[in-house]
Amino acid sequence: MNIGHIYESMARLVHAHTGEYPTTEGMSGAYRAAISNPTMRPMAAAPAGLDITYEGGAWAEFCTANRIFEHIFKGAGPTDGPAREAWDDNVAEALALIQEIDPGLHLMVDLLVTDLVILNSGADGGGSASRLPGVVIMSPGEKWGVLDYAMCLVHEAMHLNLFVGDMVYGTFTLSSRELDADQYRALSAVKIGRRRPLDKAFHAAIVTVPLMFMEHHQGRTTLVDLYTASLRDACVDLNRQREHFTAYGRMLLDELCAFGESIDFEVVARAISSPEYAGYLPITA
């Protein structure tokens, strides 16, 4: 979640694909150019900004044809101009709210989310995938407020961030396919009481942190009350599978477990922007 570490991970990914060393100022454009390679995703990312499309757009057609995010696309119907304008307005307000809560979180979203597909499928959630860097799918709930849109964007940006880190450093010693086996499952912090493949359980636990932080900043406690105990239980269970994490993965796991024990939001705020985390384990360029 640390913005300096995100820059470092992105720089390494860009260098691996292009041989170039991007500057901080040129990072966004360099990253978008790197992930636009057909080996990374089927459609290029725009040079800048957030490209919003809907159920009839190229990304929606690609995901539907390739059965990606089926649980989100299932039931999506046609939308009209007013509905799309309302979604666009909510996304704009959500981005402003993220900036207000923490500029580092806003920068994370800005760097990592290049394409947003908004649907009315009734899934009330979002999706992102390691094989589609930059792409986020969102199906807003009827009762969603601006904070819900904001948390969805941060949630999915955090997943995309973890995917980049995994591509660059590696998080697990086993493949995602291998981690599907029952013996590698761990408790989910979000789907409370359920055991999920280790990589998915780890992702779910990590993304609770910025969501709890955002709600706390807004004076709400719903997710804090909901996830505090389940996050601690998940951390205990994840640690039982410690041998299947790489050194980098164990570093992330230790930071997650430390937060799970403390639920200290001042530490989260510091971790987002502090240089002490930017060079944590991987040396910054």
Side-chain angles (χ1 to χ4, degrees):
M1 194 162 52
N2 177 266
I3 196 62
H5 188 61
I6 292 171
Y7 271 107
E8 174 71 16
S9 300
M10 295 177 81
R12 293 185 183 217
L13 184 67
V14 169
H15 180 258
H17 281 269
T18 68
E20 299 176 358
Y21 291 99
T23 64
T24 300
E25 294 76 14
M27 184 66 68
S28 178
Y31 176 72
R32 286 165 179 259
I35 64 173
S36 294
N37 187 303
T39 62
M40 293 285 283
R41 46 181 262 178
M43 288 172 278
L50 180 60
D51 189 17
I52 302 178
T53 55
Y54 312 95
E55 73 281 350
W59 277 116
E61 291 181 354
F62 174 82
C63 290
T64 300
N66 290 275
R67 305 180 67 179
I68 302 172
F69 305 119
E70 281 188 285
H71 67 293
I72 303 178
F73 280 92
K74 184 179 180 180
T79 56
D80 57 18
R84 295 178 178 186
E85 289 174 11
W87 283 336
D88 291 355
D89 290 344
N90 281 320
V91 168
E93 290 182 39
L95 290 170
L97 178 58
I98 297 168
Q99 175 70 20
E100 175 190 321
I101 292 173
D102 193 286
L105 288 180
H106 183 275
L107 185 53
M108 179 179 74
V109 172
D110 186 57
L111 285 168
L112 289 158
V113 183
T114 62
D115 299 86
L116 176 63
V117 183
I118 312 181
L119 308 163
N120 66 350
S121 71
D124 294 7
S128 50
S130 59
R131 51 183 162 164
L132 295 178
V135 180
V136 166
I137 312 299
M138 177 190 289
S139 178
E142 290 184 6
K143 297 182 179 180
W144 274 23
V146 173
L147 180 59
D148 298 294
Y149 281 84
M151 290 195 297
C152 184
L153 288 169
V154 170
H155 177 143
E156 299 306 336
M158 192 67 192
H159 279 302
L160 293 174
N161 179 26
L162 289 168
F163 292 141
V164 171
D166 188 52
M167 283 189 279
V168 173
Y169 307 112
T171 308
F172 301 97
T173 60
L174 299 171
S175 68
S176 183
R177 185 183 297 273
E178 291 173 309
L179 291 174
D180 273 337
D182 288 344
Q183 66 263 36
Y184 304 124
R185 290 181 175 254
L187 285 171
S188 172
V190 177
K191 297 182 178 180
I192 299 172
R194 285 183 55 184
R195 303 183 71 80
R196 303 184 67 195
L198 185 61
D199 52 345
K200 294 178 177 60
F202 187 52
H203 267 240
I206 286 181
V207 298
T208 64
V209 179
L211 302 187
M212 293 166 74
F213 172 74
M214 292 173 74
E215 274 213 343
H216 173 76
H217 183 279
Q218 296 301 103
R220 302 186 186 185
T221 65
T222 302
L223 294 183
V224 178
D225 295 340
L226 182 63
Y227 294 148
T228 293
S230 65
L231 177 58
R232 287 173 179 159
D233 290 343
C235 285
V236 170
D237 216 31
L238 288 165
N239 256 314
R240 293 193 180 107
Q241 302 275 9
R242 189 177 183 84
E243 65 183 294
H244 304 301
F245 286 80
T246 63
Y248 179 76
R250 290 193 294 272
M251 181 268 291
L252 296 181
L253 178 61
D254 289 343
E255 286 299 313
L256 171 67
C257 292
F259 172 75
E261 284 298 315
S262 69
I263 311 296
D264 187 340
F265 293 109
E266 290 185 6
V267 171
V268 177
R270 187 172 76 248
I272 293 171
S273 57
S274 174
E276 71 184 285
Y277 291 92
Y280 199 33
L281 192 67
I283 304 301
T284 53

